[in-house]
Amino acid sequence: MQIEADRSTAAPPDWMASLTYRSEAAITPSPADLQRLLVAARGRNRKLGVTGMLLYDEGRYLQTIEGPPAAVEQVWSSIQRDTRHGQIEVLSQHIVPSRLFSGWDMQLYYHKGGHRNPVMPGSDAAVPLRDHVPAASRFALNGDDRQLNALIGDLVAEGWQGNALVKHLLEPSARAIGDAWLAEDCGEVDLTIALSMLQLAGHAVHSRTCADSIRKSRYSILLVTAPGERHMLGSSYLGDLFNNAGWAVDIAFPETNDQLANQLRAQRPDAVDIALSDALPRHHALTRLTETIERSRAAAPDDMLVVSVGGRLFAEATATARTVGADHARVSAVGTSVRLAGLIEQRRLRR
Ligand SMILES: Cc1cc2nc3c(=O)[nH]c(=O)nc-3n(C[C@H](O)[C@H](O)[C@H](O)COP(=O)(O)O)c2cc1C
């Protein structure tokens, strides 16, 4: 994993890396094996400032690790080399504004034939926010950002503050989602999207104090090919990345600048990503792309639209966002959603 900084917009320095993967156990671990693994992992995680959740169920591991990017990278390299599991598949990796498992050096969850999973640290039935955990985790698992944001917006309106909301609502909801996976009430993709949605909600409660702006806090993006471009293999991959990060995503292949402008006017997304070919260098397309971006901005006259561009030219760093009047150039797909979320937030703060 390379959580790289973009040329134009790096994530804020105190943000965390978060990585979720699944894998297959090489040999079925006994409870004692799992405990040994856990004790060793916790010792190292504590030193590195890594926290997270490890789920084990019938030969499958699913783990989220979060912490400073360099520390997560270090632990992740070890995990990938570990022969106790194989067929490792990354489900999501982003840079996030806050942790979802702050009290846990690594919490293990698995079915123990009738045994209960460990009591969560910091659990306090007296905190009324806990009553909302079942609803918040259900909304996140259903991908229902509108209801999740409405719930959090209501709680902010009641006077609840960011730290309490993260500790007593969002973090327990993340654990409840882990439980749902173990109980086979949800799949891995649902779990990944739900965790990302809770992370975005964590961002919203830390960065905004107004209940109304939290109610509207999901980001939306329109992913398009530059009008007239072909060879668009990357759109659905990029769409998956944004979906997994909890965004509302639309994909379109407009034929003309007019078509794109009309769609932007009708949909009013927070951001648009306009892609040139990933396969061909396309130097001659830059002038046309500049015009497309001008037209797109004119379709969003309140100057709130964040414009991102992608394609081989930008990935090879032979062109920059500035060359074509965009706000952001995609060097790689990883981390793009976080950088665009940062740019959207900057625009909202300016308003
Ligand atoms: C499913 C699974 C999850 C693991 N999680 C962690 C972890 O969170 N932190 C950690 O330091 N090691 C974890 N390990 C252990 C590492 O893979 C590795 O054995 C250990 O960190 C020693 O690293 P090294 O081999 O690079 O010295 C995990 C191993 C497995 C199989």
Side-chain angles (χ1 to χ4, degrees):
M1 175 187 60
Q2 193 56 44
I3 300 173
E4 89 297 356
D6 184 72
R7 283 190 298 270
S8 47
T9 34
D14 53 345
W15 283 31
M16 302 281 149
S18 166
L19 185 144
T20 300
Y21 72 89
R22 68 170 164 212
S23 64
E24 310 270 328
I27 306 166
T28 303
S30 66
D33 292 335
L34 287 171
Q35 281 309 323
R36 264 193 298 277
L37 186 160
L38 187 65
V39 168
R42 277 186 176 155
R44 185 159 173 229
N45 291 354
R46 197 168 307 133
K47 279 196 209 112
L48 291 169
V50 168
T51 49
M53 170 173 79
L54 172 62
L55 308 175
Y56 175 76
D57 184 42
E58 295 186 5
R60 299 177 305 159
Y61 289 110
L62 196 147
Q63 187 176 26
T64 294
I65 49 176
E66 55 184 20
V72 168
E73 184 131 22
Q74 206 177 322
V75 170
W76 176 229
S77 308
S78 296
I79 289 175
Q80 286 179 98
R81 280 197 304 269
D82 201 308
T83 52
R84 284 172 286 183
H85 61 173
Q87 292 174 291
I88 300 175
E89 188 187 341
V90 174
L91 297 171
S92 76
Q93 60 187 82
H94 345 272
I95 300 179
V96 293
S98 59
R99 295 177 192 263
L100 275 182
F101 304 100
S102 66
W104 293 3
D105 300 320
M106 186 52 58
Q107 186 60 59
L108 173 67
Y109 257 4
Y110 65 105
H111 278 307
K112 287 174 270 188
H115 289 237
R116 286 173 61 83
N117 271 312
V119 175
M120 303 156 195
S123 63
D124 176 0
V127 177
L129 282 175
R130 292 206 165 253
D131 296 344
H132 299 284
V133 169
S137 47
R138 193 173 60 250
F139 296 150
L141 273 173
N142 291 342
D144 192 340
D145 58 315
R146 206 180 46 79
Q147 295 240 55
L148 179 64
N149 295 337
L151 169 65
I152 295 171
D154 288 347
L155 293 169
V156 168
E158 278 176 27
W160 290 102
Q161 307 266 317
N163 284 345
L165 285 164
V166 170
K167 184 154 180 246
H168 299 295
L169 180 67
L170 299 179
E171 291 189 356
S173 298
R175 293 157 201 169
I177 285 164
D179 248 355
W181 181 79
L182 282 176
E184 297 186 14
D185 288 343
C186 77
E188 282 145 14
V189 173
D190 300 328
L191 174 138
T192 311
I193 293 175
L195 291 183
S196 298
M197 217 166 249
L198 294 176
Q199 276 157 346
L200 282 180
H203 186 197
V205 297
H206 278 310
S207 60
R208 269 167 259 163
T209 45
C210 157
D212 248 3
S213 77
I214 289 173
R215 287 191 184 101
K216 294 184 198 130
S217 70
R218 192 183 191 189
Y219 304 117
S220 56
I221 188 161
L222 177 63
L223 303 176
V224 296
T225 52
E229 277 288 288
R230 300 219 175 91
H231 305 286
M232 286 305 140
L233 301 172
S235 299
S236 62
Y237 170 62
L238 200 59
D240 285 347
L241 282 181
F242 276 95
N243 259 320
N244 289 347
W247 289 53
V249 181
D250 280 290
I251 299 181
F253 303 92
E255 300 275 329
T256 63
N257 286 344
D258 272 344
Q259 271 182 16
L260 172 56
N262 286 340
Q263 187 155 2
L264 287 169
R265 218 172 278 121
Q267 250 177 271
R268 312 296 304 257
D270 296 311
V272 61
D273 181 277
I274 307 175
L276 291 176
S277 170
D278 281 324
L280 303 171
R282 294 278 189 232
H283 288 276
H284 63 276
L286 287 182
T287 319
R288 248 184 18 220
L289 185 59
T290 308
E291 201 179 307
T292 300
I293 290 170
E294 271 170 26
R295 294 288 310 279
S296 300
R297 289 205 190 278
D302 52 7
D303 194 29
M304 291 298 286
L305 183 71
V306 169
V307 179
S308 166
V309 285
R312 181 162 158 190
L313 268 177
F314 300 102
E316 287 177 348
T318 51
T320 64
R322 226 167 288 129
T323 335
V324 289
D327 304 299
H328 171 269
R330 247 188 305 118
V331 179
S332 86
V334 173
T336 295
S337 67
V338 176
R339 290 191 288 272
L340 293 190
L343 289 172
I344 292 168
E345 288 301 329
Q346 280 172 20
R347 278 203 168 39
R348 288 181 180 173
L349 284 175
R350 259 189 358 221
R351 194 157 46 172

